[in-house]
Amino acid sequence: MRIAVISPEGADPREVSAIGGMIEAGLERYHVRKPSWTEHELEAWLLGLPPSWRPSLILHQHRELVAELGLGGWHDRDRDGGSTPGALSRSCHDVASLRLHMPAYGQILFGPVFPSLTKPDYGPAADFPWAGLRALLTATRASPCRVLAVGGMTAERLGRCRELGFDGAAVLGAVWRCGDPVLAFMRVREAAQRLEASPHAA
């Protein structure tokens, strides 16, 4: 199971050190989501990071910086409608959107799957069609698009994600609400590895 990490929305004094530790521990994709930052602020922050980290960074704002700095890719939001040429990943929040956009992306973050750890009262609808989601993910298992669960993700919830057919998860609160973000990431990643190694792995 793939594990991606989403950045805190604002400045966090632990973040730069934590990114390095997580990449060293095996993190492949780090989603930089800073909705209140200007392009200048984001560029200055990115330029302060080691260039070797850039292929792992996926931007959610100011996409012109992707090509300018040689970053890993761009992330489209579901509410923005169509796809951006060259976008690597996208957010989807319902089964119809997921079905529509899977052919155009290498990765989709789908959710919320569980109640959010960082956004009060944000979670799946009571009548969410879980059976339909599982049927779609099962039917498209051979697709090159990897679908990661997002929203309330913790190490303990990865098993349920695998049951639903997800290829992994993107974590935010489980990492940044912990005193040691790197240790928290490693716990999630190790849980994913145990699931992959279990005899019931899909």
Side-chain angles (χ1 to χ4, degrees), residues 189-202:
R189 188 168 186 268
E190 288 167 2
Q193 291 173 331
R194 286 194 298 271
L195 283 169
E196 284 187 332
S198 71
H200 301 294

Side-chain angles (χ1 to χ4, degrees), residues 4-6 31 33 60 75 90-93 108-119 122-124 130 133 147-154 157-158 161 166 168-173:
V5 173
I6 302 171
H31 284 253
R33 181 176 176 274
H60 287 225
H75 179 87
R90 183 185 187 91
S91 296
C92 288
H93 304 295
I108 288 179
L109 306 187
F110 184 91
V113 177
F114 299 100
S116 172
L117 301 177
T118 58
K119 299 178 182 178
Y122 183 65
W130 297 110
L133 172 64
V147 183
L148 307 188
V150 67
M153 295 310 309
T154 64
R157 289 170 168 171
L158 290 178
C161 292
F166 285 103
V171 296
L172 196 166

Side-chain angles (χ1 to χ4, degrees), residues 49-118:
L49 305 180
S52 62
W53 295 1
R54 293 181 184 178
S56 300
L57 306 180
I58 310 300
L59 285 195
H60 287 225
Q61 286 85 28
H62 308 302
R63 71 171 174 267
E64 55 278 359
L65 295 175
V66 173
E68 182 180 325
L69 299 180
L71 306 180
W74 170 253
H75 179 87
D76 280 337
R77 299 175 300 177
D78 207 18
R79 66 182 183 219
D80 290 338
S83 61
T84 301
L88 174 72
S89 71
R90 183 185 187 91
S91 296
C92 288
H93 304 295
D94 59 70
V95 175
S97 178
L98 178 61
R99 181 182 293 108
L100 174 65
H101 292 294
M102 282 183 72
Y105 294 88
Q107 175 182 277
I108 288 179
L109 306 187
F110 184 91
V113 177
F114 299 100
S116 172
L117 301 177
T118 58

